[in-house]
Amino acid sequence: MNRLSILLKGLIKENPVLVSVLGICPMLAVSTQVSSALGMGVATTFVLVCSNMAIALLKNIIPDKVRIPCYIVFIAGFVTVVKMIIEAYAYTLYQALGIFLPLITVNCIIFARAEIFARKNSILDSALDAVGMGAGFTLALLAMASIREIFGSGKWFGIELPVLIDFNFPILNMAPGGFVVFGLLIAVVNFLSKGKAVRKSEFGCAGCPSVKICGMESCGENAKGGTQ
């Protein structure tokens, strides 16, 4: 895989939210306003890039048995830095993101890229992977937030839109509306990729963090049962 492919794959083909279905909590929680979605996307991308680079740099030093706790320490440290910066310089955004800002620490996207990519590749490739995945996460957030804010409250980036400000669908700003928009976005991506956004093999044993434990026995059983 060349470096351009590494950078671009997170936008559509392997979008962490709309294809891999990771990071759903912040996707649904902070996507009622475009400004909050953009802030969450940038913050998550920063943490993703820094943690990927740190893990790629130290992958030969970190003992395999304690790699997950080490990932948590790295990620939590970078999240703390982001949290302090946003609180100091963008307090309104800090209040809007609330508990979901520190919860970036346990974002599945960051752990997935650390385990599947960063610990097996160079620093530069890991940084490019993080930028691509972060961009894909941010674009998905912005798309969902734009739909929900425009049609749910008749605004965009807080700017009132003619007609829609008086005729909108407030349910889109509620949990049911969030799930509906999320499902529609997944359907659009699936349509654009003709149902082949990610190759089936990418969900096999090679990318599973537990492969060393099960020895591929579970995958074999699932294959025989037709549930793989």
Side-chain angles (χ1 to χ4, degrees), residues 101-113:
L101 184 56
L103 282 178
I104 293 175
T105 303
V106 291
N107 192 307
C108 296
I109 298 172
I110 300 176
F111 277 97
R113 301 324 298 172

Side-chain angles (χ1 to χ4, degrees), residues 99-223:
I99 188 61
F100 292 98
L101 184 56
L103 282 178
I104 293 175
T105 303
V106 291
N107 192 307
C108 296
I109 298 172
I110 300 176
F111 277 97
R113 301 324 298 172
E115 180 69 16
I116 295 174
F117 196 91
R119 76 184 187 96
K120 302 175 184 177
N121 292 276
S122 68
I123 298 174
L124 178 57
D125 288 350
S126 297
L128 292 174
D129 176 78
V131 171
M133 291 295 167
F137 176 65
T138 303
L139 289 175
L141 266 175
L142 289 176
M144 186 164 177
S146 294
I147 295 171
R148 296 181 73 184
E149 187 174 5
I150 290 172
F151 297 103
S153 58
K155 301 178 181 180
W156 191 73
F157 259 109
I159 302 172
E160 294 186 355
L161 302 175
V163 181
L164 289 174
I165 189 64
D166 297 315
F167 301 95
N168 49 62
F169 306 92
I171 192 173
L172 292 179
N173 288 325
M174 303 177 187
F179 279 104
V180 169
V181 175
F182 182 57
L184 290 174
L185 287 176
I186 292 178
V188 169
V189 170
N190 192 52
F191 174 78
L192 293 176
S193 65
K194 298 181 180 179
K196 299 178 181 179
V198 176
R199 297 187 304 274
K200 187 175 180 181
S201 60
E202 292 175 348
F203 291 103
C205 291
C208 178
S210 302
V211 65
K212 293 183 179 179
I213 299 174
C214 76
M216 299 188 182
E217 293 179 1
S218 297
C219 296
E221 292 174 1
N222 289 336

